Amino acid sequence: MSNMKSISCCLVLTFILVIGITVVKSGNPHDADIEDNDFAEFEDFEDGVEVLEDEDRAEFPDDVEVQQQKEGGAEGEDDEETTIENEDDDDEFEHFTDEDEFIGFDKGQSPSSGKSKDKLPNLKMTEVPGHLRTNWDSFYMEILMLAGLAVYFLNFIHGKNKNHKLAQAWLQSNRDLLESNFHIVGDDGSTKEAQAGTLMKESENVYALWCSGRSALEGMLVELRLLKRQDLISTMTNMFKPASDQILVTIDLDKNVMDKFVFAIAMKRSCAKLHKEMIDLSQFTEKKNLDKYSDMPSSYQLLSEVGEASNALLDKKVCQVLTKFEGQVEFMHFSDQFCGAKSQDESQATKMPEVKPVMIFCFNVPGKGKSKPTDMEQMKPLLQLVFYCLEKVSRLQLGKEARNKSEKNRKKAEEQFLKAAHSQLQEAAQLRREEKRRNEKERIMNEEDPDKTRKWEERESRREMKRKQPKMKMMKI
């Protein structure tokens, strides 16, 4: 019995001990030391255990208060540690505030600390320059250049096409007249066999037509000198200073077909230029009045060598055409001594220039730069004037007095030319002698021989005295 009682007491005590342990476990489920563990408040979240609600806290008020006290104590210890660390940092950089180490140091200004949390730095965004921004304003130069190229290209195409249309319109309107007067019209000379109907394109604004196969002349060259409509700068210049398209007709006559005379009639605005630049006009012609030609417009000026030739050429029909097409006929130049314009080179030729008989006509296309293909068709009467004057010149025969005057003028011109050429040869010979004497003097000076130098100076002095002595004429009695 006593054994049974002792066993029963052990079981009761064991049961009571288990209950006590269970109660303690419920208050501290993780078996953590509350007094020593500073991170006890985070252990509920680490193991996924639910946080105690208000009702659970009511069941264990003592444990909650103890835990809050521990948390407050932990926070106080952290503040003390932070303060200690800041003091250590200040002591570490204290030598930077020493006035003896740094010149011009302001002790009142505290050094900036990277760990200061009192005031954050004021960050400012750097503005991007305007020329680096990707917008259309940055490419205005490129846009202007592309626009200029586009305008230039479009003007080139338009101007080239318009000049081509004007040239073709003139050829189509005068083809029948040309073919009736010449055997070959439009031969470009590229092949041995003669071709017809070819309008040679020398440039975008110059076209040429060669005609041959007629008696009394070698051929006729028609040049269509149109405005440079393909050039944008020329187009803009023509807007402020209008100009006209021109047609230049040059006829090369056979020798002995034209009599000896030089004749020209031109607009007053171009007459002075022709008289100054053309060799034959400046040598043989003089300005004449047109008072006796009642039908002649006052805007023209006459340059004539022989009055008989002028009277024969300026008949009633020619005067009517000049009156009707006043301003369109720029000039007419007929000469048997044609040798072109004066050379820009100052040196004069030593040989007589080759001359040939020619007839030159210059016509202005109506429209003053705004010509149309229909304006080319209206110029057909002027081409008929060319063939009329060709017949007049080939049949013209000067009288004896007029012919003697022409021959006298040509001999005088030849003598003047030979005299000028002789004086030019003398000047050239004098220059060569002076150059030779200069070279000889330099050679003697370089030899450093006093005897040769003295002899050369004496010889030069005698030559100079002899040249200065007056020339004496000896007379026999």
Side-chain angles (χ1 to χ4, degrees):
M1 290 293 296
S2 59
N3 293 331
M4 293 294 293
K5 288 182 179 179
S6 59
I7 294 170
S8 299
C9 291
C10 290
L11 292 173
V12 171
L13 292 174
T14 304
F15 179 75
I16 293 172
L17 182 60
V18 170
I19 291 174
I21 294 171
T22 304
V23 172
V24 174
K25 289 289 184 181
S26 62
N28 188 7
H30 299 286
D31 297 332
D33 190 2
I34 298 175
E35 295 179 356
D36 299 331
N37 192 359
D38 296 334
F39 301 93
E41 59 178 326
F42 300 103
E43 292 181 357
D44 293 341
F45 299 98
E46 293 176 356
D47 296 337
V49 181
E50 296 181 358
V51 184
L52 295 177
E53 301 293 338
D54 294 338
E55 295 178 354
D56 297 335
R57 291 181 181 178
E59 296 178 356
F60 306 98
D62 298 334
D63 296 338
V64 174
E65 292 179 359
V66 173
Q67 187 175 359
Q68 291 179 353
Q69 292 177 0
K70 294 295 182 179
E71 291 176 357
E75 291 178 358
E77 293 177 359
D78 292 339
D79 294 338
E80 292 178 358
E81 292 177 358
T82 304
T83 305
I84 294 171
E85 290 178 359
N86 291 336
E87 292 177 358
D88 294 339
D89 292 341
D90 296 338
D91 295 338
E92 181 181 356
F93 298 99
E94 186 178 1
H95 63 280
F96 287 114
T97 61
D98 191 358
E99 294 181 355
D100 297 334
E101 295 291 337
F102 301 96
I103 299 174
F105 176 75
D106 187 3
K107 190 174 182 181
Q109 182 180 1
S110 61
S112 60
S113 176
K115 299 181 181 180
S116 177
K117 299 181 180 178
D118 297 338
K119 185 178 180 182
L120 295 176
N122 188 11
L123 300 178
K124 294 183 179 179
M125 299 298 293
T126 304
E127 296 183 359
V128 180
H131 66 280
L132 296 178
R133 298 175 183 174
T134 55
N135 50 22
W136 288 109
D137 295 340
S138 302
F139 303 98
Y140 70 95
M141 287 297 297
E142 289 78 2
I143 294 173
L144 289 177
M145 291 179 64
L146 292 176
L149 291 174
V151 171
Y152 187 88
F153 180 75
L154 293 176
N155 180 78
F156 179 83
I157 298 297
H158 178 266
K160 181 183 71 172
N161 293 337
K162 186 172 183 179
N163 285 340
H164 181 72
K165 290 180 180 179
L166 292 175
Q168 292 295 330
W170 182 88
L171 180 62
Q172 295 299 328
S173 61
N174 296 279
R175 182 188 289 272
D176 297 336
L177 181 60
L178 292 172
E179 291 178 350
S180 63
N181 285 274
F182 295 97
H183 180 68
I184 300 174
V185 177
D187 184 18
D188 57 355
S190 59
T191 59
K192 294 182 179 180
E193 296 181 359
Q195 297 180 357
T198 303
L199 190 63
M200 295 179 291
K201 181 180 178 181
E202 297 183 359
S203 65
E204 299 297 339
N205 63 301
V206 178
Y207 292 83
L209 182 71
W210 174 256
C211 305
S212 61
R214 180 188 171 101
S215 60
L217 55 89
E218 296 180 0
M220 183 179 76
L221 179 64
V222 181
E223 292 181 275
L224 303 179
R225 298 181 178 180
L226 307 177
L227 297 177
K228 295 181 179 180
R229 294 181 175 88
Q230 78 282 357
D231 187 8
L232 183 60
I233 298 177
S234 299
T235 303
M236 297 176 64
T237 304
N238 293 332
M239 293 181 181
F240 300 98
K241 188 178 180 181
S244 300
D245 300 301
Q246 288 187 341
I247 299 177
L248 191 67
V249 181
T250 304
I251 301 176
D252 296 330
L253 300 173
D254 292 334
K255 293 182 178 181
N256 302 325
V257 171
M258 180 180 179
D259 213 338
K260 297 179 181 180
F261 68 91
V262 179
F263 165 86
I265 184 168
M267 299 287 293
K268 289 183 178 180
R269 61 193 177 193
S270 58
C271 182
K273 183 179 179 181
L274 287 173
H275 191 259
K276 181 180 180 181
E277 293 181 354
M278 295 297 174
I279 297 177
D280 55 342
L281 293 178
S282 61
Q283 285 184 346
F284 300 105
T285 62
E286 296 178 356
K287 293 183 179 181
K288 303 290 183 180
N289 294 326
L290 293 174
D291 298 338
K292 59 180 180 180
Y293 303 99
S294 57
D295 298 336
M296 184 68 64
S298 59
S299 59
Y300 287 97
Q301 180 67 51
L302 177 63
L303 299 175
S304 177
E305 179 188 9
V306 181
E308 184 178 346
S310 302
N311 296 333
L313 294 173
L314 295 177
D315 58 1
K316 187 176 181 180
K317 188 175 181 179
V318 174
C319 292
Q320 289 179 354
V321 174
L322 292 177
T323 303
K324 183 178 179 180
F325 296 94
E326 183 180 2
Q328 296 186 27
V329 180
E330 186 67 23
F331 66 86
M332 296 190 303
H333 180 194
F334 310 150
S335 174
D336 70 315
Q337 297 289 317
F338 182 79
C339 55
K342 292 181 179 179
S343 177
Q344 299 296 332
D345 191 5
E346 296 181 357
S347 61
Q348 189 175 2
T350 57
K351 295 182 179 180
M352 285 287 294
E354 296 182 0
V355 297
K356 59 181 180 178
V358 296
M359 296 176 63
I360 303 175
F361 301 83
C362 183
F363 304 130
N364 296 323
V365 180
K368 204 68 176 180
K370 300 179 181 179
S371 305
K372 301 178 181 179
T374 54
D375 296 331
M376 292 293 188
E377 299 176 358
Q378 299 176 3
M379 299 189 67
K380 189 174 182 179
L382 297 179
L383 188 60
Q384 294 174 349
L385 174 66
V386 172
F387 295 114
Y388 178 79
C389 292
L390 176 60
E391 294 292 336
K392 292 279 291 183
V393 169
S394 60
R395 295 178 182 178
L396 179 61
Q397 298 292 330
L398 296 177
K400 184 178 181 180
E401 184 177 354
R403 188 172 297 174
N404 292 335
K405 182 180 179 181
S406 299
E407 291 178 355
K408 184 179 179 179
N409 292 336
R410 278 146 185 77
K411 289 182 180 179
K412 183 178 180 180
E414 185 177 358
E415 290 176 357
Q416 290 178 353
F417 180 83
L418 294 176
K419 185 177 180 180
H422 180 67
S423 62
Q424 185 179 3
L425 291 175
Q426 286 183 340
E427 291 178 359
Q430 182 66 22
L431 292 175
R432 287 194 299 270
R433 286 194 296 268
E434 292 179 357
E435 183 68 20
K436 184 178 179 181
R437 191 178 297 111
R438 190 181 303 109
N439 294 335
E440 184 180 359
K441 182 178 180 181
E442 291 179 357
R443 182 178 58 81
I444 293 175
M445 292 298 180
N446 293 332
E447 291 182 358
E448 298 180 356
D449 190 351
D451 294 335
K452 290 184 178 181
T453 303
R454 181 177 52 79
K455 291 180 180 179
W456 182 85
E457 290 177 354
E458 292 177 355
R459 185 171 63 253
E460 288 296 323
S461 62
R462 288 195 300 268
R463 183 184 302 171
E464 188 68 18
M465 292 177 60
K466 183 177 180 181
R467 188 177 63 84
K468 291 181 178 180
Q469 288 180 357
K471 295 181 179 180
M472 304 292 294
K473 292 184 178 180
M474 296 181 64
M475 297 180 63
K476 293 182 180 180
I477 301 175

